[in-house]
Amino acid sequence: MSSQTRLTRAFENAKRIPFDNKSKFILFSDCHRGDASFADDFASNRNIYFHAMNHYFTEGFNYCELGDGDELWENLFFKEIFEAHKHVYLLLKKYHDSNRLHMIYGNHDMVYRDKNVVKKKLSTFFDPKTGKDEPLFTGIEYHEAIVLENLETGQHLFLTHGHQADFMNYIGWKINRFLVQILWKPLQVWGIKDPTSPAKNYVELIKIERRIKRWIADNNNIITITGHTHRPRFPNINDNSINYFNDGSCVHPRSITGIEIVQGTIALIKWFIDTKSDGTLQIVKEVLEGPIKLTDYQTKKV
């Protein structure tokens, strides 16, 4: 099965979510939440992520996580990840309880495509205060893709992780998981990078982006938003542009990037730690690109 066929299948089987020009969504991906060990890339940005997600919850946003939220290649047990970042998961639970949590699986949390695994791992957590299991993400579903459907304009937005365009991280994900668990995680402490990751392999990254762009061009230039490569992408508006977006990741050095969809517009944003004039630190948001009206990205043949 080719990458084009895999992307088409993901689109056709995607969960459909209606929205309008009053809706608000924040899209993050590639959090790679780990066990707070030296190999946990999320740990250094955890406070930034938590602050941003608190802001979005208060402001009434829906949260779409575009895959690789949990690092289940380096870590065998979700329980260890949950204990390391319990306050983050309890915040995500608030989104879930208010029907504002929409989850996509990627290659590092591919096991979540199995509904039984999701139910077993994520439905409850043990609370030492009560001495019993308490609800966590009861009834949650993970999807390979989501399509946002604008009820006012008829425009569709295709959200997926993007590993469909990466053979070894889609078909061969179990092999790569084995290599990461056995070989690359122990070597990471010495600064040796994992070559299976497109984020650390520029040649492979470019190939993946080209495959995704080819699919978009062959499918009416539908707005497509992915993660996987960790490289933020925000297309220009012109007759020759391909409507390919990438929200980046939550494991950049000292910052996280994401995409906001707010009242019919789209923007690429970054949250990071900044220094005030008096020397104290603060977490701030910067708009990197946009906001641009979604309707400016016309669906058309390319």
Side-chain angles (χ1 to χ4, degrees):
M1 184 186 299
S2 70
S3 61
Q4 304 305 293
T5 301
R6 291 193 292 268
L7 285 164
T8 297
R9 185 180 63 179
F11 176 76
E12 292 176 347
N13 295 330
K15 176 184 179 181
R16 263 58 183 179
I17 298 178
F19 76 108
D20 57 32
N21 287 337
K22 296 180 181 179
S23 302
K24 295 187 286 187
F25 292 85
I26 175 62
L27 280 54
F28 287 128
S29 73
D30 298 276
C31 298
H32 293 279
R33 293 180 290 264
D35 61 358
S37 69
F38 64 85
D40 184 358
D41 294 328
F42 175 73
S44 60
N45 288 338
R46 177 177 56 187
N47 291 336
I48 300 174
Y49 176 85
F50 186 76
H51 176 84
M53 290 294 287
N54 258 319
H55 163 80
Y56 290 122
F57 184 81
T58 301
E59 293 297 317
F61 278 69
N62 286 269
Y63 177 47
C64 293
E65 189 165 274
L66 308 190
D68 284 4
D70 295 338
E71 180 48 72
L72 295 174
W73 282 12
E74 295 179 355
N75 307 280
L76 295 176
F77 305 107
F78 171 75
K79 180 181 178 181
E80 296 176 353
I81 301 174
F82 175 81
E83 292 298 332
H85 306 295
K86 183 175 181 179
H87 66 303
V88 169
Y89 286 102
L90 293 182
L91 175 56
L92 291 176
K93 182 181 185 301
K94 292 170 66 176
Y95 279 89
H96 177 61
D97 291 345
S98 58
N99 297 315
R100 290 191 274 149
L101 183 66
H102 313 287
M103 304 298 272
I104 291 172
Y105 59 78
N107 50 304
H108 282 252
D109 49 12
M110 192 83 126
V111 294
Y112 289 158
R113 65 181 177 179
D114 186 333
K115 294 181 180 180
N116 293 325
V117 171
V118 172
K119 182 177 180 181
K120 181 179 179 180
K121 288 181 177 288
L122 304 180
S123 293
T124 62
F125 73 99
F126 179 76
D127 189 345
K129 293 181 180 180
T130 62
K132 60 181 182 180
D133 289 338
E134 300 290 348
L136 185 58
F137 302 125
T138 305
I140 195 171
E141 294 183 356
Y142 274 69
H143 306 274
E144 184 172 358
I146 289 171
V147 173
L148 301 181
E149 300 180 332
N150 193 313
L151 298 176
E152 297 180 22
T153 67
Q155 200 169 29
H156 290 181
L157 283 66
F158 176 38
L159 318 181
T160 193
H161 184 59
H163 62 310
Q164 295 87 350
D166 183 347
F167 178 84
M168 281 305 297
N169 278 308
Y170 190 89
I171 301 299
W173 69 275
K174 291 184 179 180
I175 297 173
N176 279 353
R177 181 180 64 178
F178 173 79
L179 291 173
V180 168
Q181 289 175 347
I182 302 302
L183 184 59
W184 301 116
K185 182 179 179 180
L187 291 177
Q188 192 171 356
V189 69
W190 301 103
I192 298 176
K193 296 180 180 180
D194 168 19
T196 67
S197 171
K200 300 170 184 176
N201 185 331
Y202 186 75
V203 173
E204 188 61 23
L205 181 154
I206 295 299
K207 291 180 181 178
I208 291 167
E209 288 188 349
R210 285 176 179 170
R211 292 171 192 141
I212 295 173
K213 288 181 178 180
R214 188 189 321 136
W215 184 88
I216 297 170
D218 290 341
N219 287 271
N220 298 327
N221 205 19
I222 185 172
I223 292 175
T224 299
I225 308 173
T226 73
H228 189 51
T229 66
H230 295 202
R231 181 163 83 147
R233 306 296 288 164
F234 197 91
N236 295 320
I237 303 175
N238 59 57
D239 292 338
N240 297 317
S241 66
I242 300 293
N243 293 337
Y244 170 58
F245 296 78
N246 192 303
D247 62 5
S249 81
C250 294
V251 293
H252 298 295
R254 299 170 297 281
S255 68
I256 66 175
T257 58
I259 285 179
E260 291 181 357
I261 297 170
V262 179
Q263 297 178 342
T265 69
I266 188 167
L268 177 67
I269 54 87
K270 177 175 78 171
W271 289 85
F272 62 101
I273 296 176
D274 196 14
T275 306
K276 295 182 179 180
S277 58
D278 63 1
T280 58
L281 301 178
Q282 61 179 344
I283 299 173
V284 296
K285 184 182 78 170
E286 177 183 356
V287 178
L288 301 176
E289 300 281 356
I292 295 176
K293 291 182 179 179
L294 286 167
T295 51
D296 287 347
Y297 292 98
Q298 293 297 319
T299 301
K300 54 187 178 296
K301 295 288 184 180
V302 177

